[in-house]
Amino acid sequence: MTAITARQPINLADYQPPVFTVTNVALAFALDPAATIVNARLDIHRQAPGPLRLDGKNLTLLSIAIDGEALGENRYVLDDTGLTIHDVPDAFVLATSVRINPEKNTELSGLYLSGSGFFTQCEPEGFRKITYFPDRPDVMARFHVTMRADAAKFPVLLSNGNLLGQGVEDGEVWAEWEDPHPKPSYLFALVAANLVAVRDTFTTKSNRNVQLGIWVEQGDEDRCGHAMESLKRAMRWDEETFGLEYDLDIFNIAAVADFNAGAMENKGLNIFNTAYVLASPDTATDMDFQNVERVIAHEYFHNWTGDRVTCRDWFQLSLKEGLTVFRDQEYMADQFSAPVKRIADVRTLRATQFRDDAGPLAHPVRPASYLEINNFYTTTIYEKGAEVVRMIRTLIGREAFRLGMELYIAKNDNSAATVEDFVAAMQEAAPARDLSQIMRWYAQAGTPEVSVSETHNAEENIFTLTFSQHTNATPGQAEKKPFLIPVAMGWLDADGRELRTETLVLNDPEQSFSFEGIGSSSTPSLFRDFSAPIKLKGQSRARLAFLAAHDTDLFNRWDALQQYASLVLREAIAAHQEGQAFSLDQGLLEAIAATLSTAARDPAFAAEALLLPTESLLADDMAVVDPDAIHFIREAARAALGKALQKEFAAAYDGFGHDPAADNSGVAMAGRALKNAALAYLSASGDASRAAAQFAAARNMTDTLAALTNLTDIAGPARDEALAAFYARWNATPLVLDKWFAVQARSAAPDTLARVQALSTHEKFDMRNPNRVRALIASFTGNAAKFHDASGAGYALLADMVLRLDATNPQIAARLVTALGTWRRFGPARQNLMRTTLERILAREALSHNTYEMASKALA
């Protein structure tokens, strides 16, 4: 009987280098769904005194030997998390043989079955479910892999690196792969399945020919073209932008339907959720096409920022993820509209990361401790981490940043690095700029709030801006030191003409900056292009209206309109709570009308500018969140705007977005975005006729889903008929059927809660598939007015799903718990219901570490 390990946090301060390192790994797989045999041969070398500790989970040990000598049971100790050998030489070969059961692996971590075969997911700690190994990022080895499987069932065998050989013998297919680059175990990958390949080639800047393959289930080949073209664009962009060339002869992508995340950057063999590979105009929206390109690029970019240079430990996760998100954001900005891309990224950051920073689940970009590392794949690590990288570039400039990247990779190639290594490289590239204070962004949680006051000396014509910064307390961090904050700014004259631009550096709690030759009628445009992830406080309604109409920085123009709309809508919410009727703000009406009148100049920007602030953003600054009042006022505003500007919205609807159905150019996407933004307002005003007509005639999924979304918000025969028609056509296409579940979960219709409860027992709702769970349950938790139903039934439904999932896929279960993390921000009745729900989850015996950590932190 093995010992059961209690829950103990892992602390950054306790990091110690590995006692042993592994230089070479030879793995031999005899693949069988219920009884896969894994033979491992490890070349091990001592680095420090101590026993050999190997991680292992759910493994049946068949044999173990050191330098060919079998070990008796008295020579090693097994427990539920691994294996310990106390008496070992300083250098030796360890050989183990284990049996694992992939078909019972519902956690989708390690080696598991999905669709037509075997797939792996080893980040962060899945490799220990395959064989005994020091499963940590700073142990890097070269891997040699052989595989054998039933040739009829699993004819395609893939792994990392380059293919050395393959064949068929006695009904078994075999393949041998070798990765010449050392890598940590989390980057190991294996695929054995009945897949087909879409193939292409890429010629690098040094004239090497790389074989490209996208491996999918039979019948999905015609939906891989966009992914392949995206891959080739990303490879070329990384060469041109950062001088980074692909370093193997083969680059493969394998798509799998059951996957906990979006994709995985395993060296030479990326494994992808099908949602981020398969796309065609009739099955994927414009947003899906962009997400495919973004994720393809992200995972490819990891080849250098994640694979060749990896992270020393999981506390450094943002070193690879934040940096690579920054790189994919820059890539997407170059492919489409840079301002619109920036708007979309900031919208996501504010809706999710800002919310987390304000609650009990707040944590720094580099956490100080964790119980379960899977819980830290968050927008703080990824998106806020990317903002820190972006601030460094803003502070030192593009040329120095490029040099810093070259230094970082050159000094850390084929090794495991830390955040300090990255910042040191940037500091070396820009010695005149002191970057030491940037480390506070990695160490401190929370979103800084920045206020600005103004004075003007008319006699000397000097304009002075005084900035102050403050960050609220977060769990475990009551006091905050000031952050290093770049303030990209411009000056506008009274007519909106740009006078000059510059970047200020705010690094004290309060600082003043004086500007000569700036008249009293000039207006500062602050934090242009969102130069720091902060909240800018105290801008007046008049200032916001001016910037929304005149700012020459498109991001700031959009942001000023968002802030103006948030201000007037929050005032309307407060009035509604006092029993007053809704009245549309004239300034908001004029701003939306102005956006429509100039929409032809930049339809993509206009489509973003027309969107009112989300309900979560409106809740952000409320002392007590009232989801019913927020929803009522936002919908009332949409209806009032749709009625007041009916002719203008109709003209936009008729004038844009009628390109050929298969046109996925940026221009065509922009036109469809504007057309469907107009459709949403027209539908909100009570006229669903255009939505019904568009649904019937749509020739692409973008228009189909936009129409269905508007119809689904209104309970009645038109909605039911549209949903039935969509289901009849697409119920056999999983990724499209996910949209059918999601559109109902996000609906504003009064019966949404009841429909979601019914859909949770639908024959097509598969709890084993993370995409389906996210489509229904995660989408529903984002529908604030329905999820936070006063009865508490939404919370009960979530708890039911979490507890069911925790036994089979604790990663997904834990991520759903975050919807309850803001419970203290609601009124007493909802607080009590949400707290009771968290207590119910924590009361479950044998709760996973994943779910326990998230629920206990939310409740603390």
Side-chain angles (χ1 to χ4, degrees):
M1 181 176 178
T2 59
I4 301 300
T5 304
R7 297 184 175 105
Q8 295 293 332
I10 309 297
N11 302 308
L12 172 59
D14 296 335
Y15 171 82
Q16 294 291 328
V19 174
F20 290 89
T21 189
V22 181
T23 54
N24 294 284
V25 179
L27 298 174
F29 289 84
L31 293 161
D32 179 271
T36 288
I37 304 299
V38 184
N39 294 323
R41 179 185 172 93
L42 314 181
D43 292 342
I44 298 179
H45 302 268
R46 182 183 294 278
Q47 303 295 304
L52 173 67
R53 175 65 183 178
L54 302 176
D55 300 299
K57 184 178 179 182
N58 301 331
L59 308 175
T60 299
L61 181 64
L62 303 178
S63 67
I64 181 169
I66 289 180
D67 291 334
E69 178 187 349
L71 301 186
E73 292 186 2
N74 63 323
R75 294 280 305 277
Y76 59 87
V77 178
L78 282 176
D79 58 48
D80 65 321
T81 64
L83 179 154
T84 302
I85 309 176
H86 288 278
D87 183 17
V88 296
D90 291 343
F92 59 97
V93 174
L94 178 75
T96 61
S97 181
V98 302
R99 183 175 63 246
I100 57 178
N101 189 343
E103 70 180 8
K104 290 284 184 68
N105 183 356
T106 61
E107 295 183 3
L108 311 184
S109 173
L111 180 68
Y112 65 94
L113 288 177
S114 175
S116 69
F118 297 86
F119 296 84
T120 57
Q121 171 58 24
C122 292
E123 185 178 352
E125 296 177 341
F127 191 74
R128 64 190 62 190
K129 300 172 186 176
I130 295 174
T131 191
Y132 287 104
F133 196 81
D135 190 14
R136 46 188 287 172
D138 55 355
V139 175
M140 301 179 69
R142 289 178 172 85
F143 280 67
H144 183 281
V145 179
T146 59
M147 295 170 278
R148 288 185 174 273
D150 186 316
K153 295 179 179 178
F154 315 111
V156 174
L157 302 180
L158 306 173
S159 192
N160 310 87
N162 296 317
L163 178 64
L164 301 183
Q166 59 185 342
V168 178
E169 298 173 350
D170 300 325
E172 281 194 330
V173 61
W174 65 270
E176 185 177 3
W177 291 80
E178 186 173 71
D179 187 350
H181 298 284
K183 65 173 179 284
S185 53
Y186 82 85
L187 290 173
F188 170 77
L190 177 154
V191 171
N194 187 11
L195 304 177
V196 293
V198 174
R199 298 183 185 275
D200 208 330
T201 61
F202 178 81
T203 303
T204 69
K205 65 179 182 178
S206 65
N207 211 35
R208 286 190 309 102
N209 194 47
V210 181
Q211 301 297 315
L212 308 178
I214 298 180
W215 297 83
V216 295
E217 298 282 352
Q218 294 186 30
D220 288 335
E221 303 96 307
D222 61 343
R223 291 194 281 164
C224 295
H226 179 65
M228 183 63 80
E229 292 304 312
S230 298
L231 173 59
K232 292 189 292 184
R233 280 193 293 271
M235 296 176 80
R236 184 65 65 206
W237 184 89
D238 217 16
E239 290 183 345
E240 295 173 349
T241 305
F242 288 104
L244 299 175
E245 180 178 337
Y246 187 61
D247 53 355
L248 293 171
D249 300 329
I250 298 172
F251 187 88
N252 282 318
I253 291 173
V256 58
D258 300 309
F259 204 70
N260 283 338
M264 180 60 210
E265 69 267 18
N266 317 295
K267 182 74 177 177
L269 175 56
N270 287 187
I271 298 181
F272 267 66
N273 188 322
T274 51
Y276 298 103
V277 171
L278 305 180
S280 61
D282 59 329
T283 62
T285 65
D286 291 342
M287 182 58 66
D288 292 331
F289 273 89
Q290 292 190 40
N291 282 336
V292 167
E293 181 146 13
R294 174 181 59 83
V295 178
I296 289 279
H298 180 95
E299 303 306 328
Y300 173 75
F301 295 155
H302 267 311
N303 184 63
W304 285 96
T305 52
D307 294 2
R308 285 285 289 263
V309 181
T310 192
C311 50
R312 185 196 71 179
D313 53 71
W314 291 120
F315 297 102
Q316 320 295 329
L317 180 58
S318 191
L319 177 65
K320 74 182 185 76
E321 294 301 346
L323 176 56
T324 306
V325 168
F326 168 77
R327 278 157 43 74
D328 82 52
Q329 289 175 347
E330 290 295 287
Y331 167 79
M332 291 298 287
D334 285 347
Q335 307 310 306
F336 298 95
S337 164
V340 171
K341 172 59 178 168
R342 191 68 181 130
I343 288 167
D345 291 339
V346 173
R347 193 193 297 277
T348 298
L349 187 79
R350 286 174 171 166
T352 55
Q353 199 282 320
F354 278 23
R355 176 202 63 198
D356 291 347
D357 254 353
L361 299 178
H363 61 85
V365 172
R366 183 167 67 178
S369 68
Y370 62 81
L371 189 64
E372 171 53 64
I373 186 57
N374 280 294
N375 290 335
F376 283 90
Y377 285 73
T378 63
T379 52
T380 298
I381 300 294
Y382 281 66
E383 280 74 18
K384 187 175 182 179
E387 294 300 321
V388 178
V389 175
R390 186 177 298 274
M391 285 190 291
I392 292 173
R393 189 186 67 176
T394 299
L395 288 164
I396 69 176
R398 289 177 179 270
E399 185 175 339
F401 184 82
R402 167 71 185 262
L403 175 59
M405 283 288 292
E406 293 173 357
L407 291 169
Y408 169 64
I409 290 172
K411 293 183 176 212
N412 299 283
D413 192 15
N414 285 323
S415 67
T418 65
V419 167
E420 284 83 359
D421 294 323
F422 177 73
V423 174
M426 293 297 161
Q427 185 67 82
E428 184 176 346
R433 172 71 72 191
D434 182 4
L435 293 176
S436 58
Q437 201 173 337
I438 203 74
M439 293 302 298
R440 290 178 186 170
W441 286 99
Y442 289 102
Q444 294 184 154
T447 303
E449 297 180 354
V450 177
S451 301
V452 186
S453 60
E454 307 169 3
T455 59
H456 185 263
N457 185 324
E459 185 176 328
E460 298 182 11
N461 201 27
I462 295 176
F463 208 124
T464 299
L465 298 177
T466 298
F467 293 82
S468 61
Q469 61 165 297
H470 169 75
T471 306
N472 291 326
T474 57
Q477 295 182 336
E479 300 294 330
K480 306 289 185 177
K481 295 180 180 179
F483 287 92
L484 179 63
I485 300 176
V487 185
M489 67 165 297
W491 286 98
L492 306 173
D493 69 14
D495 296 319
R497 289 187 293 267
E498 188 171 277
L499 300 174
R500 72 192 204 202
T501 63
E502 54 195 296
T503 299
L504 314 177
V505 178
L506 175 62
N507 55 14
D508 289 328
E510 183 172 295
Q511 281 174 263
S512 295
F513 301 86
S514 295
F515 306 86
E516 297 180 356
I518 298 295
S520 61
S521 62
S522 301
T523 299
S525 167
L526 302 173
F527 293 98
R528 289 186 148 195
D529 206 38
F530 201 62
S531 61
I534 59 91
K535 295 180 180 180
L536 180 58
K537 297 291 188 177
Q539 295 201 97
S540 69
R541 184 183 296 199
R543 170 66 55 79
L544 292 170
F546 176 84
L547 293 172
H550 300 292
D551 205 322
T552 52
D553 181 88
L554 281 182
F555 174 85
N556 270 25
R557 180 179 291 188
W558 166 83
D559 195 32
L561 180 52
Q562 286 284 296
Q563 299 302 327
Y564 181 92
S566 296
L567 181 64
V568 300
L569 290 176
R570 287 193 189 103
E571 291 176 353
I573 291 167
H576 173 73
Q577 291 172 320
E578 296 294 325
Q580 300 177 32
F582 174 76
S583 176
L584 181 63
D585 178 78
Q586 185 63 28
L588 180 58
L589 175 64
E590 292 172 358
I592 297 296
T595 300
L596 286 167
S597 69
T598 59
R601 298 178 189 171
D602 190 341
F605 173 77
E608 289 286 350
L610 288 173
L611 297 177
L612 292 180
T614 62
E615 293 182 18
S616 64
L617 186 62
L618 292 172
D620 195 37
D621 284 335
M622 294 181 68
V624 178
V625 177
D626 184 343
D628 297 322
I630 293 170
H631 180 72
F632 177 85
I633 291 300
R634 188 175 185 276
E635 290 303 295
R638 292 176 66 235
L641 288 166
K643 290 176 181 177
L645 299 172
Q646 192 276 335
K647 291 182 180 179
E648 292 83 352
F649 280 119
Y653 180 81
D654 294 336
F656 294 91
H658 302 287
D659 304 279
D663 186 351
N664 287 310
S665 65
V667 171
M669 288 184 178
R672 285 192 289 269
L674 179 56
K675 176 185 73 175
N676 288 318
L679 176 66
Y681 277 101
L682 293 168
S683 299
S685 72
D687 178 10
S689 60
R690 285 182 176 81
Q694 178 169 307
F695 180 80
R699 297 169 297 156
N700 60 67
M701 184 53 66
T702 300
D703 287 346
T704 298
L705 194 64
L708 183 62
T709 297
N710 286 289
L711 292 172
T712 305
D713 280 343
I714 306 171
R719 173 195 67 178
D720 297 340
E721 291 169 8
L723 286 169
F726 191 93
Y727 181 84
R729 181 174 180 186
W730 297 113
N731 71 85
T733 308
L735 293 178
V736 184
L737 191 60
D738 288 339
K739 302 179 190 304
W740 183 80
F741 279 94
V743 75
Q744 296 178 77
R746 297 184 184 119
S747 171
D751 61 348
T752 293
L753 173 57
R755 293 183 72 88
V756 172
Q757 290 170 324
L759 287 168
S760 69
T761 63
H762 193 279
E763 63 177 354
K764 291 287 187 177
F765 181 68
D766 184 359
M767 291 281 284
R768 297 167 300 177
N769 179 253
N771 286 348
R772 191 58 47 84
V773 173
R774 285 186 284 258
L776 182 64
I777 305 303
S779 294
F780 176 63
T781 63
N783 186 347
K786 307 306 174 185
F787 174 61
H788 294 289
D789 186 86
S791 68
Y795 310 145
L797 175 63
L798 177 63
D800 291 343
M801 295 296 106
V802 166
L803 293 173
R804 285 175 59 190
L805 274 168
D806 188 68
T808 58
N809 193 332
Q811 285 188 43
I812 301 300
R815 289 170 190 171
L816 292 175
V817 172
T818 60
L820 298 168
T822 57
W823 64 274
R824 287 180 177 83
R825 301 197 57 220
F826 292 81
R830 286 188 173 95
Q831 277 193 23
N832 184 57
L833 290 167
M834 296 170 81
R835 183 178 61 249
T836 301
T837 302
L838 286 166
E839 290 169 347
R840 176 191 164 197
I841 292 170
L842 286 168
R844 166 67 65 87
E845 291 186 11
L847 194 67
S848 71
H849 286 197
N850 309 62
T851 303
Y852 172 83
E853 179 174 36
M854 299 306 283
S856 60
K857 283 185 175 180
L859 198 57

